[in-house]
Amino acid sequence: MHATASDVDALALVLRLVLLSGTALVAGTGLLRPVTEAPARWVSWSSGGLAALAGLISIPALGVSPAFAVGHAVLVLAVPALLSRPTAAAYAGFAAAALLVAETASGHSSFQFLVDTTYTAVAVAWFGFAVHAGRLKPGLRLGPIALTAAIALTAAAVGQLLLSGLLDRRLHSSGHGVALLLIALSTVVVLGLAGRLRRDPRRIYRFGAAGVAAAFLLWGALPAIPRPHELAVPGVPRLVHAEVEGQKLPVLITPQRPGPNLVHFPESAGKGISVEVGENVMPAMARPGGHGTWATVDLPVGRSDVVIRRGDATDSVEVDTGDATAPALAGATGPDGPECAGAALGGLVAGARTPLAACPADALTPDDADALRRLVGALAANGTPAVTLEADDSPRSRQAADVVRAAAAERGVAVSPVPQPEGALVVVSGWERAVDRLTLGHQYVWGVHLAPWLLHGPVLNSAASSSVPLRFDPRDQRSLAYGLTLAGAFGGEPPSVAGFGSWLAARGMAVRGPVTIYAAAQVDVMKMSMPGMDHGGTAAGTWNPEGTVVAVSAPLTP
């Protein structure tokens, strides 16, 4: 039974520990049978019987493979049955120990595999010597063997502790940290006994068995003890998982500063979630242009807990906003908050843990300004007589609107803030305003054109079709890798241009390339498949989950 999930229940944990300890005991009695004068039948049959019973109970209780459980039971019962034949018993004991290593260490990293093997090998040997302490044949160097085993066990435990990443307050404030600490302390006690009682090795094994058993059982229980979240760092958006009603919910908290903060859940988390800070309760609701649900909460200075609730089930997430001198970041929670959160999330899923210093809507980048100028140039070259311009009050949108007006004036294209059906619609607002405008359903002879940052599934799906000037191909390897990484880390979250930029930056890369116009359309209006079109359907990781995005122009000239 190889239970490694952090949400293992009490029955699974008990069965796991009985199976591990019983198998280790029976393996030790069999493995050392050739060096004993008489077999320890009672211990071997009782430990083997308990291990076999735990394995068989796990079939109906935990859904363990019957073939695997029965095979394990047969092996642990074969050891006591073969005790009258020392060599056969040793082979059976070795097979039981090898099975124990395979069950507990499979799929682990090389270091963790070494640690698991060390725990198992030392426990099997130590339990065998402890059981046979009065029956061992003369001539064995029991003292050096015990000291070597104790050193190996201590080195494995201390190494696991040092490499756990929990050498902070979580070491004493979390169950996982305390378990690691107790494992290390138990092995140190065993090492001390091995050194102090080196002249009486039989007492070393008997007294030390308690410390080895404690370390072995705590190690066996460790996979069932949830690891604590990473420590909150002021100003660094928080990405954690909360467990509510047995469901693990990805949670993003931005910007983790004193005052208003956004708490975001993916659409896959479902509805009915609320967020509590102190006595304030805010339901998580959908926001135009954003994916999933969002709640705006006020966080106090310093450390506090954000409680995630659905019905009567709750879980808490620790946050740390720092001191009151932390600069405000208004764009992180306003109309452009979801886009800012997406930018933060892109960096987090790439492994970056840097403070959120600005939001995408705070300023227009030179690359986006250039893309908008080239877009207007393409519209003018195609004969578009007028442009309806949609903007909002964010700094980026105001600057983008100025760029569009200036470019249109250079080319003699009229610009109007009211709908001009005979022309084209150019949207340079944020996600929320863009969705509000696109859902009005106005028709434009020369189409709907979106600023680069509006390449986001919920925005694209607000219009039957639209076009976007981009410096990257949403279907290339990097773009899809980002989308799949994001969807896997945050419950199917669709990609965004700002998040892609953060993801690339965290990996030492950037968006580079000529500006090309890409058309986005919903699948239900693109019935015929065309070469190069990616009908993504609702596939996770695609840039238009309910449609397609395809290049419709050559690289645009200035």
Side-chain angles (χ1 to χ4, degrees):
M1 180 174 56
H2 183 42
T4 57
S6 63
D7 56 352
V8 175
D9 59 25
L11 176 60
L13 178 59
V14 170
L15 291 176
R16 173 180 171 82
L17 294 182
V18 171
L19 187 66
L20 291 179
S21 58
T23 303
L25 264 169
V26 77
T29 58
L31 194 61
L32 295 181
R33 177 64 182 90
V35 297
T36 64
E37 295 177 341
R41 298 185 184 277
W42 184 88
V43 173
S44 186
W45 276 112
S46 59
S47 57
L50 285 174
L53 182 62
L56 295 176
I57 291 175
S58 68
I59 298 174
L62 304 176
V64 172
S65 167
F68 178 81
V70 171
H72 193 129
V74 170
L75 181 58
V76 294
L77 292 176
V79 174
L82 294 171
L83 287 179
S84 59
R85 302 169 59 187
T87 301
Y91 280 122
F94 178 81
L99 178 62
L100 199 58
V101 172
E103 290 179 15
T104 56
S106 61
H108 289 178
S109 65
S110 56
F111 172 76
Q112 190 59 49
F113 181 87
L114 177 62
V115 168
D116 294 340
T117 303
T118 301
Y119 282 145
T120 301
V122 171
V124 167
W126 201 286
F127 292 159
F129 279 118
V131 168
H132 295 302
R135 305 181 180 89
L136 293 171
K137 295 178 180 179
L140 294 175
R141 301 187 64 188
L142 298 179
I145 294 175
L147 186 60
T148 301
I151 291 173
L153 191 67
T154 303
V158 173
Q160 186 178 35
L161 175 64
L162 294 177
L163 295 178
S164 67
L166 301 181
L167 298 182
D168 46 52
R169 66 173 183 272
R170 293 174 296 173
L171 190 60
H172 57 78
S173 64
S174 69
H176 199 94
V178 170
L180 286 171
L181 189 60
L182 290 176
I183 291 173
L185 291 176
S186 298
T187 62
V188 170
V189 170
V190 173
L191 180 60
L193 285 173
R196 185 175 181 82
L197 301 177
R198 59 185 180 278
R199 295 179 181 176
D200 191 353
R202 287 178 171 77
R203 292 179 65 197
I204 294 176
Y205 289 109
R206 286 175 176 171
F207 294 158
V212 173
F216 186 69
L217 290 175
L218 283 169
W219 163 77
L222 200 60
I225 305 174
R227 280 187 61 87
H229 299 310
E230 292 185 5
L231 290 179
V233 180
V236 177
R238 195 92 164 99
L239 176 58
V240 294
H241 282 78
E243 186 169 338
V244 181
E245 295 182 330
Q247 180 183 7
K248 288 187 177 297
L249 307 179
V251 183
L252 175 67
I253 302 174
T254 52
Q256 200 178 192
R257 297 184 182 186
N261 281 254
L262 273 186
V263 182
H264 175 37
F265 306 92
E267 191 172 284
S268 58
K271 300 180 180 179
I273 303 172
S274 62
V275 182
E276 303 176 8
V277 178
E279 297 181 355
N280 298 318
V281 181
M282 292 295 296
M285 307 291 289
R287 292 184 59 161
H291 188 264
T293 56
W294 308 76
T296 303
V297 298
D298 282 325
L299 296 182
V301 172
R303 295 180 195 166
S304 61
D305 288 327
V306 173
V307 177
I308 313 300
R309 175 183 296 275
R310 178 151 54 197
D312 295 329
T314 64
D315 195 4
S316 61
V317 175
E318 183 188 66
V319 294
D320 188 349
T321 61
D323 56 40
T325 62
L329 198 60
T333 55
D336 296 300
E339 184 188 5
C340 190
L345 185 56
L348 290 172
V349 299
R353 296 295 182 269
T354 55
L356 184 61
C359 289
D362 290 346
L364 181 67
T365 66
D367 280 352
D368 285 346
D370 179 64
L372 291 172
R373 280 190 289 267
R374 292 173 188 258
L375 171 64
V376 173
L379 291 174
N382 289 334
T384 306
V387 165
T388 300
L389 182 60
E390 183 66 28
D392 60 27
D393 293 330
S394 70
R396 177 183 61 188
S397 184
R398 293 197 302 268
Q399 295 164 19
D402 291 339
V403 168
V404 171
R405 292 190 190 97
E410 290 178 5
R411 292 163 175 80
V413 177
V415 176
S416 172
V418 298
Q420 302 291 323
E422 73 282 0
L425 173 65
V426 176
V427 184
V428 296
S429 66
W431 294 357
E432 183 174 308
R433 182 70 171 269
V435 168
D436 290 343
R437 184 57 183 268
L438 294 175
T439 52
L440 294 177
H442 291 152
Q443 300 297 313
Y444 296 86
V445 174
W446 294 91
V448 174
H449 306 270
L450 308 178
W453 56 85
L454 295 176
L455 182 70
H456 184 55
V459 178
L460 298 178
N461 293 328
S462 300
S465 62
S466 57
S467 69
V468 190
L470 300 173
R471 294 183 181 275
F472 66 95
D473 186 345
R475 303 163 303 170
D476 68 17
Q477 184 178 0
R478 291 195 312 175
S479 305
L480 293 177
Y482 156 65
L484 289 171
T485 301
L486 178 64
F490 204 76
E493 185 86 356
S496 67
V497 174
F500 185 38
S502 298
W503 184 79
L504 287 174
R507 296 159 60 91
M509 297 182 287
V511 174
R512 291 285 186 270
V515 177
T516 302
I517 295 180
Y518 285 80
Q522 296 183 34
V523 169
D524 60 0
V525 298
M526 297 293 292
K527 298 296 185 182
M528 297 183 63
S529 177
M530 297 178 62
M533 284 194 173
D534 175 21
H535 291 274
T538 56
T542 57
W543 284 76
N544 190 7
E546 298 181 12
T548 182
V549 180
V550 61
V552 293
S553 81
L556 301 182
T557 57

